[in-house]
């Protein structure tokens, strides 16, 4: 069987998702859970981890199995059915994003700060380096977007890359301010 769920990616790539399978039956799940499945819930060895989880996710550490009587009013035949909920918590393997996005973006932003070591009198060199790194950050952001889920809200990763971009724009502004403070009032010259 193939199951689908809606992901909540606000904390991407540090997100954890609960995947729930809910079954209803006239079978008495409560007794079934007490007799053996609850023991499996502590150590989910009954899962085929290679087939169950994509490489992007870590295999679950635990499985929650809950059996309870269903709401009698929800039944069209007025028979009291049993509900069995199986919840699996999967967590994204975030190391890929730490190494390939966070670390590289940190290096780009960090290297833009070295522009401040160039004397303000060499405005063209400072701006050349700053704008080159800024354009590199824009290209990197476009590349990163191809590997991210297409969602309408910002994730932690989006906010981190945007903060780095803002930092680089501030370095460009600081270059102009340094030229003005050095006595050269014509920034465009």
């Amino acid at each position: 069987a193939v199951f689908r769920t809606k992901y909540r990616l606000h904390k991407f790539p540090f997100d954890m998702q609960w995947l729930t399978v809910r079954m209803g039956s006239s079978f008495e799940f409560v007794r079934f859970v007490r007799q053996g499945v609850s023991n499996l819930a502590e150590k989910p060895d009954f899962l085929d981890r290679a087939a169950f989880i994509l490489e992007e996710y870590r295999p679950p550490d635990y499985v929650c199995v809950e059996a309870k009587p269903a709401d009698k009013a929800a039944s069209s035949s007025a028979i009291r059915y049993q509900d069995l909920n199986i919840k699996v918590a999967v967590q994204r393997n975030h190391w890929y994003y730490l190494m390939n996005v966070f670390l590289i973006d940190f290096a780009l932003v960090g290297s833009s700060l070295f522009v401040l070591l160039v004397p303000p009198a060499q405005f063209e060199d400072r701006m050349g380096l700053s704008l080159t790194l800024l354009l590199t950050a824009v290209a990197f952001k476009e590349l990163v977007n191809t590997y991210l889920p297409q969602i309408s809200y910002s994730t932690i990763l989006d906010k981190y890359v945007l903060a780095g971009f803002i930092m680089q724009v501030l370095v460009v502004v600081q270059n102009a301010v340094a030229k003005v403070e050095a006595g050269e009032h014509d920034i465009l010259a």
Side-chain angles (χ1 to χ4, degrees):
V2 175
F3 298 99
R4 295 175 190 248
T5 188
K6 186 173 182 175
Y7 289 111
R8 291 166 192 84
L9 300 173
H10 295 284
K11 295 182 180 178
F12 180 86
F14 305 105
D15 55 323
M16 183 200 65
Q17 308 294 330
W18 280 100
L19 308 178
T20 304
V21 176
R22 182 171 292 130
M23 297 185 288
S25 173
S26 60
F27 179 74
E28 205 170 325
F29 284 126
V30 175
R31 190 175 344 145
F32 174 68
V33 170
R34 286 186 187 138
Q35 288 178 354
V37 175
S38 61
N39 293 337
L40 294 176
E42 296 169 8
K43 189 175 181 185
D45 291 336
F46 62 93
L47 294 174
D48 181 2
R49 291 173 179 238
F52 185 77
I53 304 295
L54 300 171
E55 287 183 20
E56 190 172 352
Y57 294 94
R58 282 190 256 147
D61 293 328
Y62 57 92
V63 174
C64 177
V65 179
E66 175 187 49
K68 62 182 178 179
D71 183 18
K72 191 174 184 178
S75 172
S76 61
S77 62
I79 298 174
R80 190 169 186 115
Y81 289 100
Q82 298 285 315
D83 280 343
L84 179 67
N85 294 328
I86 302 171
K87 294 181 180 180
V88 178
V90 293
Q91 190 166 12
R92 189 176 307 274
N93 189 0
H94 58 268
W95 286 106
Y96 173 83
Y97 296 97
L98 285 175
M99 292 292 127
N100 293 302
V101 178
F102 284 95
L103 186 64
I104 292 174
D105 195 49
F106 180 78
L108 278 172
V109 173
S111 61
S112 70
L113 297 176
F114 285 109
V115 170
L116 302 176
L117 297 175
V118 177
Q122 297 175 345
F123 178 72
E124 295 80 15
D125 293 337
R126 285 177 73 137
M127 286 301 282
L129 290 170
S130 295
L131 293 175
T132 300
L133 288 168
L134 187 64
L135 290 174
T136 304
V138 169
F140 181 68
K141 171 71 172 149
E142 289 300 315
L143 177 68
V144 166
N145 279 343
T146 62
Y147 295 102
L148 298 179
Q150 301 298 315
I151 51 177
S152 62
Y153 50 87
S154 295
T155 65
I156 290 175
L157 186 65
D158 293 325
K159 292 173 186 173
Y160 178 80
V161 172
L162 181 62
F165 186 75
I166 291 170
M167 182 72 166
Q168 287 182 306
V169 168
L170 290 175
V171 169
V172 171
V173 170
Q174 192 279 335
N175 290 339
V177 170
K179 182 174 182 178
V180 169
E181 286 184 358
E184 301 177 32
H185 297 289
D186 189 10
I187 296 175
L188 301 176

